[in-house]
Amino acid sequence: MIKKFIKIYKYIYMGVCYPDDMDASPIGRDASIEEIEAASDALLGHTFGDIVTTDLSGADRTKVKGQLGELLENYYGMANDNDPLPDFRAAGLELKCKPLKISYGDYFYPKEPLSVGMIDYSEVAETEYWRDIEKLRKKFLNLLIVWFVHDGDSRADFPFIWWQSWSPHEHMDEQIQEEYEEIRRQVLEGEHLSETEAGNDILQTCPKHNYDFANDEPGSFVVNSGHPHLEKPERRSWRIPTRFLVRMLADNANLELIDRGRVQYVKKDALWKKSKDRATDAESISRFVSIGDAQSELRDFDR
């Protein structure tokens, strides 16, 4: 009854439109691994427009990524809050919604890096081991990544194509530690973090602002950061670069990486085939979200 009331409230006051059926049951934040896998399989072959319809035509394009993430959170039955616990509390998984772009007509490549939390400079200065960094421990170690295809202007038509859970293997630990130590060295020696660590393969940092840091523009730096040397260090976040994300995807889907110049891709048709095979035995999406009859059928996987 409470879930139904929330949907009606969002429909009337927030402009969120749900189709007729109000009896679906999102799995919620305390779902088991099995429930998470079932709900994720049910997404494949469907679109954002299938799970909920909102009018994004006039939305600020700089905020669309967050809005799509919120739609996916709603599908899984999560509140849009800033709870520091993992998105799936019982399973300890952090949910990430990531776009794939089409390259050269026949290939997929991650559209953007994966941000995993803001950098706390004082914490980095005091912490020798990367797994002891709070944001990395909570936002990097156990991820549920839901991939969708960013193609065209209609966000409602962006299809879900794959999902994967990911944690760094033990053999990656030494490499990530080496990359973390280089970032920490810059902090301890008073250097501004920059693209000098862009050679890192797994763990990088990136600017987390839309301002001019070179000209000391407010919003580009952190005040009272606790940095051991710099008064106004740049506002940055931890990230996983796209070149590693595509390897994560290929490894999980058991796909060949295709080299084109200095960049690696996965074949578009090959990933769609894997998606179709995975969705064959999936439960109906109507178990997890209220949708109309026309939307309950799988979309065409041959895209």
Side-chain angles (χ1 to χ4, degrees):
M1 180 62 71
I2 293 176
K3 290 179 180 178
K4 184 178 291 187
F5 172 79
I6 291 173
K7 286 187 175 183
I8 294 172
Y9 176 88
K10 287 185 176 181
Y11 175 81
I12 296 174
Y13 294 102
M14 299 174 64
V16 178
C17 302
Y18 295 87
D20 295 336
D21 181 14
M22 289 284 192
D23 296 325
S25 179
I27 58 176
R29 294 187 63 191
D30 294 315
S32 66
I33 291 292
E34 292 75 16
E35 290 172 321
I36 295 168
E37 291 177 349
S40 301
D41 279 344
L43 279 172
L44 302 179
H46 289 282
T47 67
F48 279 98
D50 289 344
I51 59 174
V52 64
T53 303
T54 59
D55 183 10
L56 295 178
S57 59
D60 183 346
R61 286 188 172 272
T62 63
K63 299 179 180 179
V64 165
K65 180 172 66 173
Q67 291 168 337
L68 295 180
E70 288 179 4
L71 293 182
L72 191 61
E73 289 175 354
N74 289 337
Y75 168 77
Y76 284 111
M78 299 175 184
N80 297 321
D81 55 30
N82 293 316
D83 191 332
L85 294 175
D87 291 322
F88 291 105
R89 291 175 295 210
L93 287 172
E94 185 73 14
L95 176 64
K96 294 293 182 180
C97 176
K98 298 307 296 178
L100 293 170
K101 64 180 181 180
I102 298 174
S103 298
Y104 301 106
D106 296 322
Y107 305 98
F108 282 135
Y109 189 76
K111 187 174 183 291
E112 61 197 18
L114 194 159
S115 177
V116 289
M118 296 297 295
I119 293 176
D120 182 329
Y121 287 100
S122 62
E123 183 183 27
V124 172
E126 297 168 359
T127 306
E128 295 184 358
Y129 184 38
W130 75 270
R131 286 179 179 264
D132 293 331
I133 295 291
E134 183 179 14
K135 285 291 176 64
L136 295 181
R137 185 172 64 251
K138 292 182 177 180
K139 306 288 187 178
F140 185 82
L141 287 179
N142 296 289
L143 301 177
L144 175 71
I145 304 174
V146 178
W147 296 98
F148 68 93
V149 181
H150 189 288
D151 184 28
D153 295 326
S154 175
R155 297 162 186 81
D157 292 334
F158 291 169
F160 298 103
I161 188 171
W162 196 251
W163 67 268
Q164 66 181 104
S165 56
W166 181 84
S167 296
H169 301 302
E170 287 187 11
H171 71 266
M172 295 180 186
D173 195 83
E174 183 176 350
Q175 178 180 349
I176 297 174
Q177 179 63 23
E178 290 177 357
E179 294 176 349
Y180 170 74
E181 287 176 0
E182 171 57 22
I183 295 170
R184 184 168 183 258
R185 179 198 63 77
Q186 289 181 273
V187 173
L188 292 176
E189 294 183 5
E191 298 179 13
H192 283 289
L193 293 183
S194 64
E195 292 306 309
T196 57
E197 94 283 359
N200 285 5
D201 195 40
I202 303 175
L203 182 64
Q204 295 183 357
T205 75
C206 64
K208 197 65 173 178
H209 58 83
N210 295 312
Y211 303 94
D212 188 350
F213 179 68
N215 289 321
D216 208 27
E217 188 172 342
S220 67
F221 53 81
V222 185
V223 180
N224 299 323
S225 67
H227 194 290
H229 299 288
L230 302 178
E231 182 180 350
K232 294 187 290 186
E234 187 175 15
R235 186 182 301 276
R236 297 179 74 89
S237 71
W238 302 104
R239 78 172 181 186
I240 302 174
T242 54
R243 63 173 177 262
F244 187 74
L245 289 177
V246 73
R247 298 208 299 269
M248 287 168 51
L249 173 61
D251 181 66
N252 183 261
N254 195 25
L255 292 175
E256 179 186 4
L257 282 168
I258 306 299
D259 293 306
R260 286 185 65 97
R262 301 175 64 181
V263 180
Q264 293 181 309
Y265 303 87
V266 295
K267 285 187 175 180
K268 184 177 69 173
D269 291 346
L271 185 56
W272 272 121
K273 183 180 185 304
K274 290 282 187 177
S275 181
K276 182 177 182 179
D277 292 344
R278 193 178 205 178
T280 299
D281 297 322
E283 297 191 49
S284 171
I285 198 172
S286 61
R287 173 189 165 186
F288 308 103
V289 66
S290 301
I291 64 175
D293 292 338
Q295 295 172 309
S296 62
E297 297 297 325
L298 289 177
R299 301 295 180 106
D300 183 6
F301 280 85
D302 298 323
R303 296 170 184 267

